[in-house]
Amino acid sequence: MINYNEILEKDELGRDEIRELLAMSFEDAKQLFKKANEVKEKYVDKKTYFRGLVELSNYCAKNCLYCGIRKDNHDLVRYIVSDEDVLKSVRFAWENNYASVVIQSGELQSPAFTKRISSLIAQIMEMTKGEIGITLSLGEQTLDVYKEWRELGARRYLLRIETSNRQLYAKLHPNDELHDYDRRLQALRDLREAGFQVGTGVMIGVPFQILEHLVDDIIFMRDFDIDMCGMGPYIEHRSTPLFKFSGSLLPLEERFFLTLKMIAVLRIIMKDINIAASTAMQASDKLGREKALYAGANIIMPNITPGVYRDFYKLYENKPCTDEQAEDCLNCIEARVTLAGDSVGWGEHGDSPHFKNRMNSDN
Ligand code: SAH
Ligand code: SF4
């Protein structure tokens, strides 16, 4: 019999212990979640911070084999939210005390795109008198572009490594220059150099993934010393090349459960980082985000994309709340946070304490 209590009391976890925790049964995992919740309370407080999510555009130059908005999927309507609508959504977030927004989009590297983002950041900063925190999730860009966006006032960046295993990465992406593992890794380093709070993460339950890959992912995030993490279960999309492997996947409940364990283990190891309860968690379990908060997550990204566009930003199927407006989301989400035993950090940026601690120790 494995003594989980003994493992959970340790100051540092090794590879074997991480594996034991990720393999815990549903019954045993209750101890893991309880411990993660205690660590969360001690190091980042039992507060959930909101980041209003704007899904700026589903145009994408890439062809990740799992993603519903990949370039070669011609089975969807492409859109770009206008500056005016982005500003309207950001104003909604600001006036409702969200304190932060996330601008996410398919990946484009054209100067037209990067310049538009620069202009949007400047407009958002001006409109909110620099009060709102801006997180970007716009894929791989050059160091100069990252620097420009950082200097204009964006403070955080999310770029998932998707998997830290090079071979698995190659199975999930076309093998060309646009989808190169080393390039992705370099982008993460560049983001750090540009001065962003850097977030990364992985998908859980993708075809060909084994438990050992997830152990490596946790170790990767620890060693990279990330400030923030967003992880979610892989959810298949029928118009993607990976869909043909659907029969070989873990059931969605198990992918979800494994994600909860990944969140909890990461919280125990990287005590003061920000961890998101991702939308994909809610898509796979009705109480997914509440459960993620209990297991150690502390960030929620309510969708504030204008309702007309939401149906078209489908990275995966069964995406929740595509028929709602931002106001509906607001009511439902505060209730959900309270249900998980947290309070909402209204009006607070909720920067990653890990980033602050890292900056202090660098100085
Ligand atoms: N284009 C940017 C940001 C948008 S995609 C980028 O790729 O970084 C945001 C995230 O959605 C990706 O990092 C990926 O982890 C996730 N995603 C894409 N397809 C998915 C799927 N089928 N199931 C679950 N998550 C998916
Ligand atoms: Fe484009 Fe991001 Fe989807 Fe890849 S995961 S196809 S980069 S939107």
Side-chain angles (χ1 to χ4, degrees), residues 282-302:
Q282 198 197 342
S284 32
D285 183 303
K286 279 202 159 49
L287 291 176
R289 286 197 292 207
E290 294 77 337
K291 291 178 186 171
L293 292 179
Y294 182 75
N298 65 332
I299 303 289
I300 284 192
M301 307 199 294

Side-chain angles (χ1 to χ4, degrees), residues 141-243:
Q141 305 288 345
T142 62
L143 176 59
D144 284 345
V145 167
Y146 286 151
K147 280 186 177 159
E148 180 171 318
W149 291 346
R150 177 72 193 94
E151 277 156 22
L152 284 164
R155 52 210 288 144
R156 318 184 187 98
Y157 205 104
L158 301 171
L159 184 77
R160 289 185 178 176
I161 189 73
E162 314 295 0
T163 170
S164 62
N165 183 282
R166 194 179 282 278
Q167 286 76 29
L168 181 57
Y169 193 91
K171 289 185 183 159
L172 304 178
H173 299 92
N175 291 313
D176 58 27
E177 277 172 23
L178 251 193
H179 303 83
D180 180 57
Y181 179 81
D182 289 313
R183 172 75 194 87
R184 192 121 187 125
L185 210 53
Q186 186 56 43
L188 281 172
R189 292 191 202 105
D190 289 347
L191 285 166
R192 158 97 26 118
E193 187 180 333
F196 279 101
Q197 295 173 48
V198 180
T200 192
V202 295
M203 277 183 295
I204 292 150
V206 287
F208 320 115
Q209 191 178 49
I210 57 171
L211 196 64
E212 210 55 31
H213 293 140
L214 294 174
V215 176
D216 286 335
D217 291 339
I218 295 270
I219 292 173
F220 171 86
M221 291 190 268
R222 182 196 66 194
D223 293 350
F224 195 87
D225 201 21
I226 58 166
D227 304 306
M228 318 182 290
C229 176
M231 292 186 281
Y234 162 67
I235 305 176
E236 56 275 40
H237 191 301
R238 69 187 62 250
S239 317
T240 61
L242 279 195
F243 191 74

Side-chain angles (χ1 to χ4, degrees), residues 53-55 79 81 89 303-307 309-310 324-326:
L53 174 66
V54 180
E55 295 160 338
Y79 73 88
V81 183
S89 297
N303 199 332
I304 57 167
T305 310
Y309 302 110
R310 282 195 206 178
E324 290 175 9
Q325 290 294 336

Side-chain angles (χ1 to χ4, degrees), residues 25-308:
S25 70
F26 194 73
E27 206 38 50
D28 288 332
K30 289 179 184 160
Q31 295 173 67
L32 169 68
F33 300 148
K34 184 164 173 282
K35 172 74 184 185
N37 198 272
E38 287 164 11
V39 172
K40 169 177 161 180
E41 179 160 17
K42 185 162 167 200
Y43 289 89
V44 295
D45 207 351
K46 285 199 57 162
K47 254 189 205 171
T48 295
Y49 299 98
F50 282 4
R51 319 271 191 243
L53 174 66
V54 180
E55 295 160 338
L56 182 70
S57 171
N58 63 359
Y59 280 95
C60 187
K62 287 174 87 168
N63 255 321
C64 307
L65 303 178
Y66 42 82
C67 179
I69 65 171
R70 63 197 299 274
K71 183 177 174 213
D72 287 351
N73 180 13
H74 300 295
D75 209 9
L76 83 166
V77 177
R78 301 280 173 177
Y79 73 88
I80 304 177
V81 183
S82 67
D83 281 14
E84 195 191 341
D85 278 349
V86 173
L87 291 174
K88 246 192 240 165
S89 297
V90 173
R91 180 178 286 284
F92 168 86
W94 183 46
E95 287 175 348
N96 284 283
N97 270 322
Y98 278 26
S100 288
V101 288
V102 180
I103 311 282
Q104 190 177 77
S105 167
E107 183 178 311
L108 298 173
Q109 296 175 348
S110 64
F113 179 77
T114 59
K115 287 208 172 71
R116 178 182 178 218
I117 299 296
S118 297
S119 145
L120 259 181
I121 298 171
Q123 292 179 71
I124 292 172
M125 294 303 280
E126 193 189 327
M127 180 181 79
T128 66
K129 306 177 189 76
E131 278 178 23
I132 206 141
I134 305 177
T135 304
L136 301 175
S137 178
L138 305 167
E140 295 162 33
Q141 305 288 345
T142 62
L143 176 59
D144 284 345
V145 167
Y146 286 151
K147 280 186 177 159
E148 180 171 318
W149 291 346
R150 177 72 193 94
E151 277 156 22
L152 284 164
R155 52 210 288 144
R156 318 184 187 98
Y157 205 104
L158 301 171
L159 184 77
R160 289 185 178 176
I161 189 73
E162 314 295 0
T163 170
S164 62
N165 183 282
R166 194 179 282 278
Q167 286 76 29
L168 181 57
Y169 193 91
K171 289 185 183 159
L172 304 178
H173 299 92
N175 291 313
D176 58 27
E177 277 172 23
L178 251 193
H179 303 83
D180 180 57
Y181 179 81
D182 289 313
R183 172 75 194 87
R184 192 121 187 125
L185 210 53
Q186 186 56 43
L188 281 172
R189 292 191 202 105
D190 289 347
L191 285 166
R192 158 97 26 118
E193 187 180 333
F196 279 101
Q197 295 173 48
V198 180
T200 192
V202 295
M203 277 183 295
I204 292 150
V206 287
F208 320 115
Q209 191 178 49
I210 57 171
L211 196 64
E212 210 55 31
H213 293 140
L214 294 174
V215 176
D216 286 335
D217 291 339
I218 295 270
I219 292 173
F220 171 86
M221 291 190 268
R222 182 196 66 194
D223 293 350
F224 195 87
D225 201 21
I226 58 166
D227 304 306
M228 318 182 290
C229 176
M231 292 186 281
Y234 162 67
I235 305 176
E236 56 275 40
H237 191 301
R238 69 187 62 250
S239 317
T240 61
L242 279 195
F243 191 74
K244 59 176 173 288
F245 301 106
S246 299
S248 67
L249 298 175
L250 288 173
L252 186 54
E253 308 87 81
E254 281 184 43
R255 280 175 255 162
F256 173 79
F257 177 49
L258 203 46
T259 308
L260 278 184
K261 289 189 279 187
M262 287 286 284
I263 289 178
V265 171
L266 192 67
R267 171 60 69 205
I268 291 169
I269 292 179
M270 301 198 72
K271 303 178 182 340
D272 56 356
I273 63 170
N274 279 348
I275 304 180
S278 64
T279 316
M281 300 274 316
Q282 198 197 342
S284 32
D285 183 303
K286 279 202 159 49
L287 291 176
R289 286 197 292 207
E290 294 77 337
K291 291 178 186 171
L293 292 179
Y294 182 75
N298 65 332
I299 303 289
I300 284 192
M301 307 199 294
N303 199 332
I304 57 167
T305 310
V308 285

